[in-house]
PDB file of all heavy atoms in Angstrom:
ATOM      1  N   ASN A   4     119.515 -70.192-117.788  1.00 48.00           N
ATOM      2  CA  ASN A   4     119.328 -69.507-116.516  1.00 48.00           C
ATOM      3  C   ASN A   4     119.748 -68.036-116.552  1.00 48.00           C
ATOM      4  O   ASN A   4     120.394 -67.540-115.640  1.00 48.00           O
ATOM      5  CB  ASN A   4     120.118 -70.242-115.412  1.00 48.00           C
ATOM      6  CG  ASN A   4     119.672 -71.680-115.267  1.00 48.00           C
ATOM      7  OD1 ASN A   4     118.491 -71.980-115.372  1.00 48.00           O
ATOM      8  ND2 ASN A   4     120.624 -72.567-115.026  1.00 48.00           N
ATOM      9  N   SER A  21     107.018 -47.124-132.653  1.00 95.00           N
ATOM     10  CA  SER A  21     108.265 -47.586-132.046  1.00 95.00           C
ATOM     11  C   SER A  21     108.115 -49.068-131.766  1.00 95.00           C
ATOM     12  O   SER A  21     107.000 -49.579-131.594  1.00 95.00           O
ATOM     13  CB  SER A  21     108.559 -46.834-130.745  1.00 95.00           C
ATOM     14  OG  SER A  21     108.799 -45.474-130.990  1.00 95.00           O
ATOM     15  N   GLU A  59      99.525 -48.084-113.165  1.00 92.00           N
ATOM     16  CA  GLU A  59      99.024 -46.706-113.216  1.00 92.00           C
ATOM     17  C   GLU A  59      97.866 -46.555-114.197  1.00 92.00           C
ATOM     18  O   GLU A  59      97.254 -45.479-114.273  1.00 92.00           O
ATOM     19  CB  GLU A  59     100.164 -45.760-113.616  1.00 92.00           C
ATOM     20  CG  GLU A  59     101.306 -45.742-112.604  1.00 92.00           C
ATOM     21  CD  GLU A  59     102.443 -44.846-113.054  1.00 92.00           C
ATOM     22  OE1 GLU A  59     102.314 -44.208-114.127  1.00 92.00           O
ATOM     23  OE2 GLU A  59     103.450 -44.766-112.334  1.00 92.00           O
ATOM     24  N   LYS A  71     108.856 -67.850-130.829  1.00 94.00           N
ATOM     25  CA  LYS A  71     109.161 -68.900-129.865  1.00 94.00           C
ATOM     26  C   LYS A  71     110.647 -69.251-129.881  1.00 94.00           C
ATOM     27  O   LYS A  71     111.370 -68.934-130.822  1.00 94.00           O
ATOM     28  CB  LYS A  71     108.312 -70.138-130.141  1.00 94.00           C
ATOM     29  CG  LYS A  71     106.836 -69.915-129.838  1.00 94.00           C
ATOM     30  CD  LYS A  71     106.074 -71.201-129.704  1.00 94.00           C
ATOM     31  CE  LYS A  71     104.651 -70.936-129.206  1.00 94.00           C
ATOM     32  NZ  LYS A  71     103.870 -72.178-129.049  1.00 94.00           N
ATOM     33  N   ALA A 136     124.737 -49.069-139.800  1.00 63.00           N
ATOM     34  CA  ALA A 136     125.466 -47.802-139.979  1.00 63.00           C
ATOM     35  C   ALA A 136     125.747 -47.471-141.441  1.00 63.00           C
ATOM     36  O   ALA A 136     126.280 -46.406-141.736  1.00 63.00           O
ATOM     37  CB  ALA A 136     126.792 -47.863-139.212  1.00 63.00           C
ATOM     38  N   ARG A 140     125.312 -47.301-150.979  1.00 70.00           N
ATOM     39  CA  ARG A 140     124.961 -48.590-151.577  1.00 70.00           C
ATOM     40  C   ARG A 140     126.081 -49.601-151.408  1.00 70.00           C
ATOM     41  O   ARG A 140     125.835 -50.771-151.098  1.00 70.00           O
ATOM     42  CB  ARG A 140     124.633 -48.403-153.057  1.00 70.00           C
ATOM     43  CG  ARG A 140     124.100 -49.685-153.732  1.00 70.00           C
ATOM     44  CD  ARG A 140     123.847 -49.453-155.215  1.00 70.00           C
ATOM     45  NE  ARG A 140     125.101 -49.196-155.925  1.00 70.00           N
ATOM     46  CZ  ARG A 140     125.254 -48.246-156.834  1.00 70.00           C
ATOM     47  NH1 ARG A 140     124.259 -47.446-157.131  1.00 70.00           N
ATOM     48  NH2 ARG A 140     126.406 -48.079-157.446  1.00 70.00           N
ATOM     49  N   PHE A 185     151.525 -90.090-150.451  1.00 59.00           N
ATOM     50  CA  PHE A 185     150.062 -90.058-150.487  1.00 59.00           C
ATOM     51  C   PHE A 185     149.548 -88.894-151.329  1.00 59.00           C
ATOM     52  O   PHE A 185     148.359 -88.808-151.593  1.00 59.00           O
ATOM     53  CB  PHE A 185     149.503 -89.946-149.056  1.00 59.00           C
ATOM     54  CG  PHE A 185     149.683 -91.209-148.262  1.00 59.00           C
ATOM     55  CD1 PHE A 185     150.826 -91.394-147.498  1.00 59.00           C
ATOM     56  CD2 PHE A 185     148.727 -92.209-148.298  1.00 59.00           C
ATOM     57  CE1 PHE A 185     150.999 -92.553-146.763  1.00 59.00           C
ATOM     58  CE2 PHE A 185     148.895 -93.372-147.572  1.00 59.00           C
ATOM     59  CZ  PHE A 185     150.035 -93.557-146.798  1.00 59.00           C
ATOM     60  N   LYS A 192     152.092 -78.073-153.449  1.00 80.00           N
ATOM     61  CA  LYS A 192     152.587 -76.723-153.730  1.00 80.00           C
ATOM     62  C   LYS A 192     151.467 -75.839-154.284  1.00 80.00           C
ATOM     63  O   LYS A 192     151.349 -74.662-153.920  1.00 80.00           O
ATOM     64  CB  LYS A 192     153.746 -76.796-154.718  1.00 80.00           C
ATOM     65  CG  LYS A 192     155.025 -77.380-154.129  1.00 80.00           C
ATOM     66  CD  LYS A 192     156.132 -77.431-155.180  1.00 80.00           C
ATOM     67  CE  LYS A 192     157.405 -78.037-154.594  1.00 80.00           C
ATOM     68  NZ  LYS A 192     158.485 -78.136-155.611  1.00 80.00           N
ATOM     69  N   ARG A 243     129.786 -24.293-148.927  1.00 67.00           N
ATOM     70  CA  ARG A 243     130.154 -24.849-147.611  1.00 67.00           C
ATOM     71  C   ARG A 243     131.348 -24.116-147.011  1.00 67.00           C
ATOM     72  O   ARG A 243     131.427 -23.916-145.807  1.00 67.00           O
ATOM     73  CB  ARG A 243     130.466 -26.340-147.769  1.00 67.00           C
ATOM     74  CG  ARG A 243     131.009 -27.024-146.524  1.00 67.00           C
ATOM     75  CD  ARG A 243     129.993 -27.000-145.391  1.00 67.00           C
ATOM     76  NE  ARG A 243     130.508 -27.663-144.216  1.00 67.00           N
ATOM     77  CZ  ARG A 243     131.282 -27.089-143.296  1.00 67.00           C
ATOM     78  NH1 ARG A 243     131.626 -25.811-143.430  1.00 67.00           N
ATOM     79  NH2 ARG A 243     131.705 -27.755-142.248  1.00 67.00           N
ATOM     80  N   LYS A 330     149.057 -43.873-152.592  1.00 85.00           N
ATOM     81  CA  LYS A 330     148.003 -42.871-152.689  1.00 85.00           C
ATOM     82  C   LYS A 330     147.754 -42.520-154.157  1.00 85.00           C
ATOM     83  O   LYS A 330     148.644 -42.604-154.983  1.00 85.00           O
ATOM     84  CB  LYS A 330     148.401 -41.596-151.932  1.00 85.00           C
ATOM     85  CG  LYS A 330     148.534 -41.760-150.426  1.00 85.00           C
ATOM     86  CD  LYS A 330     148.819 -40.410-149.787  1.00 85.00           C
ATOM     87  CE  LYS A 330     149.161 -40.561-148.315  1.00 85.00           C
ATOM     88  NZ  LYS A 330     148.060 -41.102-147.519  1.00 85.00           N
TER      89      LYS A 330
END
Side-chain angles (χ1 to χ4, degrees):
N4 301 322
S21 295
E59 297 178 3
K71 291 197 172 181
R140 186 182 66 224
F185 289 91
K192 289 180 181 178
R243 174 63 179 85
K330 294 185 188 297

